[in-house]
Amino acid sequence: MFRSTLNWIGASAASLALAAAGGLAALAPGAAHALDCGANNGYTCQGAASQYAGGFNPGVGSGGFGGGDCVATRTPVVFIAGNGDSAISFDMPPAAVSGYATPANSVYDELKARGYNDCELFGITYLDADERGAPQYNYHQPAKYQILKTFIDKVKLYTGRGQVDIVAHSLGSSMALAMLRYHGYQASVRRFVNIGGGLRGLQTCLSTGYQSPYAPTCNAEAYVFPYDYYTFGLYPSTGVAFYGYNRWTGSGSNSLRAMPAIYSSIAFYTITAGRYDQIQCFTTSYSAGCADSALFAAASNLKAQVDIGFGSAAYAYDWDWSDGSPYNIGGGDTSSGVGHFRSKTNAGRIVYNMLATTCTTGCANGYVGVNGPAVNR
């Protein structure tokens, strides 16, 4: 039961029966294509795990992409995927949204079509094959932070640039934020784009309890010896020590949502599907606050938080975890709309605006009204 219901915060073939409605999107005429999604199941790419070129060989992680016969003139972008997913899924073709035009490009191809070259786009797969196959057991821990930091160090060395921009989806967002905190790595990051990260925890984790051996993804801080609060899951904090306390998902000054205030030198952005996100808004029983799960707390360097959710509200269907249902049939991704996964795969234009412009209220320019609705949160 837990395996079937916890293949979330990223992607897994057993979790969501999402249709590849848009088929394989065509590249813009003349656009180079160093990363190839390969076959896909509608929400994850299944091509070659490692797609490096130009002598770029990070020697860390379980796959990724980047490098080529070129010179980086822009701040390089590092893509970090969600739970059960891999880096190459940032080339996942967009899907059709009812009443709107399907975006022409994947997130990766959109940046390529707008001038980024192969030496400016990189991705790291921090979960191995076994971990990707059992996402309910994955959680935040220093060993994963080291993979992310080492990879970014290799990108900086390869490109000769002192900073990177991070574009992260779901568990990748909270993993990257914890990495910044653990390693004091903020000086190496210029901009941070969070797509659907569980920054405030997942209300649906209330079903598992704060220390579950069946779903460590949903645990609170790890009360093990020696105690290490850098090992944690996505249980919404109770605020009570030893009984579900989780500083990361809470509202305190050291929480994930407070990261913009902690790291004032980084420009932060969010893309969310809000109440249409079937991972964060799983059931009616735990819907309170779920639409805000991906949102940072207000800060001067929090430039924009854009909600592109559309379709059926995820909590339109009350699937109790105890019934063994294999997935939640509600949510934007399952209703010709935009939910947890399409907020990544369909949002290339918004990601570009967040990285290459100084947008605040206009980060959805070129997307809103064309590829789907968008509102600032």
Side-chain angles (χ1 to χ4, degrees), residues 79 159 174 216 306:
F79 294 94
T159 61
S174 48
V306 182

Side-chain angles (χ1 to χ4, degrees), residues 38-120:
N40 71 81
N41 59 13
Y43 54 98
T44 63
C45 293
Q46 299 168 333
S50 297
Q51 300 186 35
Y52 301 121
F56 180 63
N57 185 20
V60 65
S62 298
F65 64 87
D69 184 16
C70 45
V71 175
T73 59
R74 301 174 185 251
T75 301
V77 181
V78 173
F79 294 94
I80 303 173
N83 198 1
D85 205 356
S86 62
I88 66 170
S89 288
F90 280 94
D91 193 36
M92 179 68 205
V97 174
S98 179
Y100 295 92
T102 304
N105 298 319
S106 67
V107 175
Y108 175 87
D109 285 338
E110 184 68 20
L111 296 190
K112 287 295 295 289
R114 294 185 177 278
Y116 279 81
N117 69 38
D118 299 337
C119 296
E120 296 163 344

Side-chain angles (χ1 to χ4, degrees), residues 139-142 145 220-224 228-233 248:
Y139 49 87
H140 309 79
Q141 56 178 311
Y145 311 154
E221 293 182 8
Y223 291 96
V224 296
D228 178 9
Y229 63 79
Y230 281 101
T231 300
F232 67 98
W248 300 94

Side-chain angles (χ1 to χ4, degrees), residues 176-335:
L177 291 169
M179 179 274 292
L180 293 181
R181 189 77 172 158
Y182 186 81
H183 287 288
Y185 203 58
Q186 62 272 18
S188 291
V189 180
R190 185 187 71 120
R191 298 189 181 189
F192 191 106
V193 179
N194 152 51
I195 307 175
L199 309 186
R200 301 178 181 222
L202 297 179
Q203 294 301 104
T204 50
C205 285
L206 296 173
S207 293
T208 71
Y210 58 84
Q211 288 293 315
S212 169
Y214 302 105
T217 296
C218 265
N219 287 352
E221 293 182 8
Y223 291 96
V224 296
F225 183 81
Y227 174 69
D228 178 9
Y229 63 79
Y230 281 101
T231 300
F232 67 98
L234 289 164
Y235 193 85
S237 183
T238 62
V240 180
F242 301 107
Y243 294 95
Y245 178 73
N246 192 348
R247 74 197 66 204
W248 300 94
T249 60
S251 58
S253 59
N254 290 316
S255 64
L256 292 170
R257 74 183 76 175
M259 289 296 181
I262 297 172
Y263 300 128
S264 59
S265 63
I266 302 174
F268 286 88
Y269 302 82
T270 293
I271 299 172
T272 178
R275 66 191 182 97
Y276 301 96
D277 186 313
Q278 70 273 26
I279 301 308
Q280 294 165 348
C281 293
F282 195 84
T283 71
T284 54
S285 300
Y286 301 104
S287 63
C290 67
D292 297 333
S293 181
L295 301 182
F296 288 110
S300 61
N301 57 319
L302 177 58
K303 302 301 183 181
Q305 302 198 93
V306 182
D307 190 332
I308 62 173
F310 182 64
S312 297
Y315 47 74
Y317 300 87
D318 188 7
W319 291 117
D320 187 338
W321 285 24
S322 64
D323 68 7
S325 176
Y327 55 85
N328 180 24
I329 65 172
D333 289 340
T334 62
S335 60

Side-chain angles (χ1 to χ4, degrees), residues 357-369:
T357 77
T358 57
C359 69
T360 53
T361 58
C363 290
N365 288 350
Y367 174 95
V368 62

